[in-house]
Amino acid sequence: MQKAFIVKITSGFNYYMSKINVRSGFLLLVISVLFITSCTSTGKEKTVKVEAMERPVKISAVKNITGFFGHRMDVNRKNYLETFPIDKYVDFIVKREHTDWNWTQAEQHGKWVESAYLSAIQSDDQALLAKAKDVLDRIIASQEESGYVGATARDFRSAERPVRGMDPYELYFVFHAFMTVYEETGNEEALNAAEKLAGYFLEYFGPGKQEFWPSDLRPPENIRHKLAGTSQFAGHSVHYSWEGTLLADPVTRLYELTGKQKYLDWSQWVVSNIDKWSGWDSFSRLDSVADGKLGVDELQPYVHSHTFHMNFMGFLRLYRITGDESLLRKVTGAWNDINERQMYITGGVSVAEHYEHDYVKPLSGNIVETCATMSWMQLTQMLLELTGDVKYADAIEKLMINHVFAAQAAEEGICRYHTPPNGTKPNGYFHGPDCCTASGHRIISLIPTFVYAENGKDFYINQYLASDYEGDAFKFRINTTYPETDKIELAIVSEDPVDKNLMLRIPSWCKTPEVKLNGNIIREVTSGTYLQLSQKWKKGDMVEIRFPMEEKWITRAHHSDYTMYYLPGGEHMYREVPTEIIPSAFMRGPVVYALDMFWNTQLDASADLNKDIRINTSVLPVPVQKQDDKMLGPVYETKGFLRGKEVKLVLTPFVNIGQWTRTDLPDPDRHSSAYTYGIWLNHM
């Protein structure tokens, strides 16, 4: 609109100048340029070439989330965010004496501020909001004149060494915290702090300045060279520069908010140098992944999942701004490869923090890192917004229903570093604070941003959570215990009629979806699409949705046993070992079940799931009453054998594994492996 307005003004101005017979074409040019410049906004504006198909609604409009997910979000807010000793970590930043390699202390303030603001705004928790603002004010007040606001000591930094190796990763989250606060509250100080921080990196990194080299090697010596150890500017050397280049994501977001060309130029410079810095042409070869000629794991010797996701989000922002289709193609190609080969049944990703070859996905150990869960979910949401492809919303649902809250301790709210499909507990939940404890509470705080979206008259229901939507005019309530039950009711509560296209996600896993509008059956409801219901919605209108869920045993595809080996830096890698024992898992619709010894009180707690228990997959489990009102159901009972003796086994949704305290038993030692659990079970 602005460009068209300027063209019309300029044309009229030139016509006017011709009428007064200006002899100097040069003078006319100068005056015209000055006039155009005066008409062109220099304020904060989004400069976007590719419009999103969907735009998430404001988090403040998503109210009263109830049921299992609402309860766990309350646990995250009340039991973790409100009690977390954030002042200790802000003190660490304010003192600014850090010179060690460790990054876990210095990433807490950014993640906590963003999480606390989002959770407080969504729940209208004024006490937490006030605390978050105080913390934010302290962080901003500590910002150096140069713009630096990390933990690294001033006397450690210089023009030749402006950052500590993990600074880019740590400050990535500070950038996003500042910008999220600005977007949600309009706090100009937060945006100014983000710009000052960007100024620090633009001052020291760029053409003719420092670069994000992962080692001391330079071309051609670094080409196809395997690295280990640490980098002065780009995190772990084994990440081959991607732990520095990830800053293209927040700096590009800053361009979207301000329209300042220098941020776009810098981000494009960063991305254009990934091939050179990595030594493996890792960026360019993403095209081969999109072509199906390479797996994403083959881009370089070690592909760190979380780091790659963060970079991919930067690529998508650049696509949105520039319209460069090759960027979208690279990211969707990688996403498709990961989705096909490296995603677990629960929607989780990452094997010992990285992507492996072929279908290598061990069942236990350091599997499904919470940091990778967070960035994978954000990346998937960004692809949904850009493309409107339901498959991305389906992937988010799978992850949210199964793995996000399985990583969270049901009472304490702390999140695990890794949450393997088959493992032990409570050992693994108590650690840190570290990267994953912070990422866990951040992704839970972000969940309301994944639920509803809009674009003009189109309003999208992407996730079915029991909640209220309170827009300016359009308002409704979703009543459901989904996915515990398969029924969802959407009741319009707007006072005045509102003309909207209601876009209902119909999940691809559901074979026989059913939808009624005010009691009338909607024909041709197709799985894996959006169902559009268009009318002037009035108070009392009701949409009834049912997603029947198939109950079935799943035999694990591409199953192997594994042996582990290590890279020089200690990173875990895997080799396949053939096995004739192929396990199975039980699913109900999108819900993945586990045999959790915590809920199987009738069994010997010392039983080893792999050695002692066999299940009978020739019969389907039958529903039984769930043991706890706070758990997600339904619960099933199935037949099996314990050391050859027939027994009844209780199967519960995997998401419930964060429970380990019972009123009838003393609490286990927090670092013990008191209970075993497993999705994948050996059968007769």
Side-chain angles (χ1 to χ4, degrees):
M1 292 295 292
Q2 184 189 57
K3 288 182 179 179
F5 175 74
I6 292 171
V7 168
K8 292 178 81 172
I9 290 284
T10 305
S11 299
F13 182 72
N14 287 341
Y15 175 79
Y16 174 76
M17 292 301 292
S18 69
K19 288 296 185 183
I20 62 174
N21 195 27
V22 175
R23 295 182 178 179
S24 170
F26 177 76
L27 176 61
L28 176 60
L29 176 62
V30 171
I31 295 174
S32 297
V33 169
L34 290 173
F35 190 81
I36 293 168
T37 302
S38 70
C39 292
T40 304
S41 170
T42 57
K44 299 176 181 67
E45 61 187 68
K46 288 188 177 181
T47 307
V48 176
K49 188 167 185 176
V50 177
E51 293 292 339
M53 297 289 291
E54 304 180 18
R55 299 182 184 88
V57 303
K58 280 278 190 179
I59 199 169
S60 57
V62 185
K63 300 288 189 182
N64 305 319
I65 299 176
T66 56
F68 174 84
F69 300 103
H71 167 67
R72 287 298 196 89
M73 288 171 63
D74 285 344
V75 169
N76 183 59
R77 176 170 53 88
K78 296 175 182 178
N79 297 12
Y80 193 82
L81 288 172
E82 291 184 1
T83 62
F84 184 77
I86 186 59
D87 288 335
K88 170 184 175 181
Y89 295 95
V90 177
D91 289 345
F92 183 71
I93 298 302
V94 172
K95 289 178 182 177
R96 204 155 288 148
E97 298 173 348
H98 194 40
T99 59
D100 293 337
W101 176 257
N102 185 280
W103 62 94
T104 56
Q105 289 176 279
E107 66 176 302
Q108 299 299 322
H109 63 306
K111 289 181 177 178
W112 187 92
V113 164
E114 186 171 18
S115 303
Y117 261 93
L118 290 171
S119 292
I121 291 169
Q122 190 277 321
S123 63
D124 197 25
D125 187 332
Q126 294 301 312
L128 180 59
L129 187 61
K131 180 178 179 179
K133 187 178 186 306
D134 288 344
V135 170
L136 175 69
D137 289 345
R138 281 194 66 200
I139 294 168
I140 292 176
S142 79
Q143 190 168 26
E144 296 175 4
E145 189 62 32
S146 66
Y148 184 79
V149 71
T152 306
R154 190 189 294 261
D155 59 8
F156 181 90
R157 291 177 278 122
S158 64
E160 293 73 30
R161 188 178 60 189
V163 296
R164 200 179 86 262
M166 290 303 294
D167 264 322
Y169 168 80
E170 295 159 9
L171 292 169
Y172 172 97
F173 299 103
V174 178
F175 266 119
H176 280 298
F178 287 158
M179 288 183 281
T180 293
V181 170
Y182 169 71
E183 287 186 329
E184 294 292 337
T185 70
N187 185 330
E188 293 278 350
E189 290 184 356
L191 182 62
N192 291 338
E195 289 211 64
K196 287 180 66 177
L197 180 55
Y200 185 82
F201 280 96
L202 269 64
E203 172 69 21
Y204 290 106
F205 291 86
K209 303 176 185 179
Q210 301 296 346
E211 302 183 43
F212 292 111
W213 294 104
S215 74
D216 293 335
L217 298 176
R218 299 293 182 267
E221 287 79 12
N222 74 326
I223 294 175
R224 299 295 188 271
H225 191 91
K226 293 183 179 181
L227 301 177
T230 60
S231 163
Q232 196 171 51
F233 300 146
H236 298 76
S237 293
V238 75
H239 295 176
Y240 296 91
S241 88
W242 292 70
E243 209 161 20
T245 61
L246 51 76
L247 285 179
D249 175 34
V251 175
T252 305
R253 183 182 179 188
L254 195 54
Y255 171 77
E256 291 179 304
L257 288 174
T258 67
K260 294 182 180 179
Q261 187 68 30
K262 61 183 179 180
Y263 301 136
L264 176 58
D265 292 343
W266 190 83
S267 298
Q268 289 179 313
W269 169 77
V270 167
V271 173
S272 70
N273 279 284
I274 293 175
D275 284 346
K276 180 182 75 172
W277 295 331
S278 73
W280 289 83
D281 294 332
S282 305
F283 174 75
S284 294
R285 294 201 303 145
L286 280 166
D287 290 325
S288 296
V289 177
D291 291 336
K293 298 176 181 178
L294 283 182
V296 69
D297 59 287
E298 297 176 272
L299 292 170
Q300 57 193 38
Y302 182 80
V303 174
H304 186 253
S305 306
H306 180 41
T307 300
F308 266 62
H309 302 161
M310 297 156 88
N311 277 271
F312 289 164
M313 286 187 274
F315 302 166
L316 291 181
R317 291 187 195 278
L318 286 173
Y319 160 68
R320 192 159 62 193
I321 293 163
T322 66
D324 182 353
E325 293 281 349
S326 70
L327 293 167
L328 178 63
R329 185 174 184 274
K330 284 179 170 66
V331 178
T332 55
W335 193 94
N336 289 335
D337 181 53
I338 295 163
N339 179 65
E340 167 64 25
R341 294 189 303 107
Q342 288 288 287
M343 181 188 289
Y344 282 84
I345 191 174
T346 57
V349 296
S350 85
V351 176
E353 299 193 15
H354 68 285
Y355 286 119
E356 270 284 357
H357 64 283
D358 300 320
Y359 292 85
V360 169
K361 296 193 295 287
L363 297 182
S364 59
N366 294 341
I367 309 304
V368 187
E369 183 200 18
T370 297
C371 283
T373 294
M374 175 187 69
S375 54
W376 177 251
M377 202 163 177
Q378 286 187 283
L379 172 65
T380 304
Q381 173 67 18
M382 190 177 288
L383 284 166
L384 173 64
E385 293 167 17
L386 283 170
T387 68
D389 192 328
V390 167
K391 74 178 183 181
Y392 298 117
D394 285 348
I396 290 171
E397 177 185 64
K398 182 188 295 185
L399 191 54
M400 182 180 71
I401 285 176
N402 296 299
H403 225 119
V404 169
F405 292 100
Q408 180 197 38
E411 305 295 338
E412 289 78 2
I414 193 169
C415 290
R416 294 176 72 157
Y417 201 120
H418 297 97
T419 312
N422 289 29
T424 62
K425 58 180 182 172
N427 186 36
Y429 284 98
F430 295 99
H431 58 99
D434 56 31
C435 54
C436 285
T437 56
S439 291
H441 65 65
R442 184 172 181 255
I443 196 58
I444 292 171
S445 299
L446 281 164
I447 279 177
T449 68
F450 304 154
V451 179
Y452 307 124
E454 56 190 345
N455 188 356
K457 285 178 60 176
D458 296 338
F459 193 95
Y460 295 84
I461 312 290
N462 284 317
Q463 306 302 331
Y464 294 94
L465 297 184
S467 60
D468 294 318
Y469 173 71
E470 298 181 3
D472 293 335
F474 191 45
K475 304 176 191 295
F476 60 81
R477 170 71 189 170
I478 287 185
N479 296 301
T480 187
T481 56
Y482 177 86
E484 185 160 336
T485 61
D486 59 13
K487 295 179 181 179
I488 302 156
E489 291 183 348
L490 189 155
I492 303 298
V493 297
S494 307
E495 290 298 329
D496 300 315
V498 181
D499 192 10
K500 288 284 184 185
N501 301 322
L502 196 59
M503 312 293 287
L504 304 177
R505 178 181 65 90
I506 309 300
S508 58
W509 56 260
C510 184
K511 295 179 180 179
T512 57
E514 302 170 11
V515 178
K516 293 180 182 179
L517 174 56
N518 293 329
N520 299 313
I521 296 173
I522 303 297
R523 306 294 179 186
E524 297 183 3
V525 180
T526 306
S527 301
T529 65
Y530 285 107
L531 172 65
Q532 179 174 321
L533 300 177
S534 301
Q535 67 174 43
K536 188 166 283 190
W537 298 93
K538 60 184 184 300
K539 190 172 185 177
D541 283 341
M542 177 75 71
V543 180
E544 299 170 85
I545 306 164
R546 183 166 176 257
F547 296 139
M549 300 185 188
E550 181 184 3
E551 300 166 351
K552 57 185 176 181
W553 288 106
I554 303 289
T555 300
R556 191 167 193 242
H558 309 290
H559 180 69
S560 293
D561 283 342
Y562 304 96
T563 58
M564 188 185 298
Y565 68 99
Y566 301 91
L567 296 180
E571 294 83 7
H572 299 181
M573 308 296 283
Y574 291 87
R575 294 189 181 95
E576 293 179 279
V577 178
T579 178
E580 295 181 359
I581 301 175
I582 311 298
S584 297
F586 179 67
M587 290 190 69
R588 173 181 172 271
V591 183
V592 178
Y593 279 72
L595 175 63
D596 186 344
M597 295 302 289
F598 176 84
W599 300 110
N600 279 271
T601 55
Q602 79 283 12
L603 300 183
D604 178 359
S606 66
D608 185 300
L609 290 180
N610 291 318
K611 295 179 180 179
D612 301 330
I613 292 179
R614 295 291 182 270
I615 55 170
N616 184 351
T617 58
S618 66
V619 295
L620 282 175
V622 295
V624 294
Q625 185 174 357
K626 65 181 184 181
Q627 298 96 321
D628 189 315
D629 288 339
K630 291 181 180 179
M631 72 188 299
L632 183 72
V635 172
Y636 285 83
E637 186 177 85
T638 194
K639 295 180 179 180
F641 293 86
L642 172 61
R643 304 186 186 102
K645 181 180 179 182
E646 190 169 2
V647 292
K648 292 181 179 180
L649 304 171
V650 175
L651 301 177
T652 51
F654 174 70
V655 73
N656 296 303
I657 66 167
Q659 188 77 45
W660 63 77
T661 58
R662 296 212 315 251
T663 56
D664 60 331
L665 290 175
D667 292 350
D669 179 82
R670 51 195 265 162
H671 294 297
S672 70
S673 297
Y675 303 103
T676 58
Y677 66 85
I679 290 172
W680 294 103
L681 308 169
N682 296 328
H683 51 83
M684 297 166 55

